[in-house]
Each structure stands twice: as structure tokens, then as C-alpha cells.
Amino acid sequence: INISSVSNNNNSNLGSYIAGLFEGDGHIWIQNQAVKGKKTHNPRFCITFGLKNEALAKKLLDIIGSGFIRYKSKDNACVLVVSPVVGLKKIVNLINGELRTPKIHQLYNLIDWLNKNHSTGIKKLPLNKDNLENSSWLSGFVDADGSFSVQHTKTEEGAKKSKISCRLRIEQRILDPTTNDSYFDILNQICLFLNCKLLTRTQKSTNNTYYTLTASSKVSLDIIINYFNKYPLFSSKYLDYKDWEKVAYLIIN
């Protein structure tokens, strides 16, 4: 996977990509007010990766310049963790003004901590409302929460003919668990961009309901290809996408 170009992105593209990645698979942990006699810890900015994307986690760690990789062998995963103040400042500088989901409250809490404890004077920028086609945010978000598939529907249950379809699928929670703010606005914006519909799905095992979207029309395929060829994926999903792209071109043509 060609991930060397991550660091060659300009600051805006790199920041929007990391913002999308964080809003899909990241969180910011901040210790509650110190209890007397209890050791205090810096906040931790974390993004979780499947172990096959360890190289991407290491590359981002190298770009940020401080932190470490924590391994979760039972989950076949690793976590990029940034806790030194210099690294937290760099993260905030990169993603402040690039976030698009309710997770922005976590960033605001981090900025409050930096301003209070290190007199940084950082301004809390609002959600980014710019068109998705103009940044690499969606690339990061799909690297975290998206999937590419080719589906073959057989001739059964009354269907007149078999069908091959290319699909980009994204699934996300409906409400932020801390603030109860809805993810509708950003997922609806993705649907408008990709020319598809926003639906909900209830997971049988947990009874939890999620937003889900599937883009598969020829119009959608053309939009997806143009976007990801301009703002490439950097996880192993890049390889999934390149295989998917070959089939999408056959369908389009």
C-alpha cells in the first residue's frame, strides 16, 4: 500500500483525512478531575486500526511525531495513542475546523484542557459545512467505517434475472452516546453527495439501530471513482477499492 503520500498531503488535506478517520474509529479520553493523592494523566487522542493496518498507524505516528502504538492482540487490532502535549497540540492544529460529526465535543474538551493547563489560547472552530467533494474527510471516514463489495443476486424469489452490483456501504450510530446529538446531518450530506438514500437498520444481536447507506447506481459509481482517485484511501481498503473499481468500470461501460 502506498502510504508514503500521506505525509506529502498539504496540511488541510492531511487534517481533514485524520479528522474523518478519528470521527469513524477514534476517541479522546480525558481524566476526570484529579482525586487527592491520585496520579494525573494527560488526555489521550486515540484511533483504532485493524492489525493489517499497522503500517498506516505507524506512518501517522511518524507524522505526528509523538505518542505510541498500543496492541490489542485479542481484538486483532492496534491503537494509535497520542498523549504528550506537543503531540496533542499538533493534532488539534490539524483537525480543528475539519470535524463534521457530534464527536466535535470531544475535541472541544481537549482544547479546553490545553487552554486551561498550558495557556494555549486555541479557538474552538465550528463544524465544517463545506462540500464533501472538496476535502479528504470522506476518505478518512470510509477508511474507518466504510466497505466496498461486489454483490451477485441470483435468479430466485421471483427475480427475472441475476444482477451484479458494486456497492459502497457506510454504517454509523444514530446518536452520540455522550451528548445525544444526531449523526443525521453528516450522513444525509454523504447521501446527497453519493446520490443514495439514508436508511436505518436494527442489529438483531444487540437490538441497536444504526444509520446505513448504500451507494450502487451508475451515477454513484462515477462519483465514487472520481472522488477516491482524487483523495485516495490509505488503509488496506485501498486494495479493496482498486479491485472494486475494475468491476465498477465494467458496469459503467
Side-chain angles (χ1 to χ4, degrees):
I1 308 168
N2 179 15
I3 59 172
S4 60
S5 55
V6 175
S7 55
N8 295 330
N9 271 338
N10 63 42
N11 240 29
S12 176
N13 280 340
L14 176 60
S16 57
Y17 173 81
I18 293 176
L21 200 61
F22 162 73
E23 291 186 281
D25 270 338
H27 71 277
I28 297 172
W29 173 86
I30 299 179
Q31 186 179 25
N32 291 331
Q33 287 187 335
V35 178
K36 189 175 181 180
K38 186 179 180 181
K39 184 179 179 181
T40 59
H41 297 278
N42 283 357
R44 291 188 171 193
F45 175 91
C46 307
I47 300 178
T48 302
F49 300 82
L51 203 53
K52 63 182 177 180
N53 289 312
E54 177 189 19
L56 175 58
K58 287 183 174 179
K59 183 64 181 179
L60 292 173
L61 178 62
D62 182 56
I63 293 169
I64 296 164
S66 60
F68 60 95
I69 305 293
R70 179 166 59 90
Y71 292 89
K72 301 169 70 176
S73 55
K74 290 183 179 179
D75 300 321
N76 202 29
C78 61
V79 184
L80 167 64
V81 181
V82 180
S83 60
V85 171
V86 63
L88 294 174
K89 287 180 180 178
K90 185 161 187 177
I91 288 291
V92 170
N93 182 55
L94 282 168
I95 70 174
N96 193 19
E98 299 293 344
L99 270 61
R100 296 171 180 265
T101 77
K103 275 192 181 176
I104 195 168
H105 77 88
Q106 296 185 27
L107 176 65
Y108 283 174
N109 289 340
L110 175 58
I111 292 174
D112 286 340
W113 185 91
L114 287 169
N115 288 343
K116 178 182 177 181
N117 294 280
H118 296 275
S119 304
T120 47
I122 300 169
K123 292 183 179 179
K124 293 185 277 192
L125 299 181
L127 289 173
N128 189 327
K129 300 289 188 179
D130 293 345
N131 291 337
L132 288 168
E133 63 195 80
N134 295 329
S135 82
S136 56
W137 181 89
L138 186 59
S139 178
F141 195 66
V142 168
D143 257 341
D145 275 345
S147 62
F148 296 90
S149 64
V150 178
Q151 186 175 51
H152 173 218
T153 306
K154 295 180 180 180
T155 53
E156 56 186 22
E157 296 180 2
K160 294 182 179 179
K161 59 181 179 179
S162 61
K163 182 182 179 182
I164 301 289
S165 61
C166 279
R167 299 182 171 196
L168 166 59
R169 188 166 178 268
I170 298 174
E171 189 168 279
Q172 183 57 257
R173 62 176 48 138
I174 289 179
L175 299 175
D176 182 89
T178 303
T179 64
N180 275 336
D181 290 335
S182 174
Y183 274 76
F184 173 82
D185 286 347
I186 180 57
L187 292 176
N188 187 56
Q189 189 180 356
I190 295 172
C191 286
L192 292 173
F193 174 50
L194 297 181
N195 190 50
C196 62
K197 293 180 180 180
L198 183 60
L199 304 172
T200 58
R201 180 185 76 86
T202 301
Q203 193 175 49
K204 291 182 180 179
S205 58
T206 63
N207 208 34
N208 292 329
T209 303
Y210 300 89
Y211 280 129
T212 180
L213 63 91
T214 303
S216 60
S217 69
K218 286 186 179 181
V219 173
S220 298
L221 299 186
D222 192 54
I223 293 169
I224 292 166
I225 289 170
N226 287 333
Y227 177 82
F228 286 112
N229 286 346
K230 183 178 180 181
Y231 299 108
L233 299 156
F234 291 114
S235 76
S236 58
K237 287 178 188 175
Y238 172 79
L239 300 178
D240 297 336
Y241 165 72
K242 294 309 289 184
D243 287 340
W244 180 94
E245 183 188 36
K246 293 176 184 177
V247 184
Y249 273 131
L250 291 174
I251 292 173
I252 290 170
N253 295 329

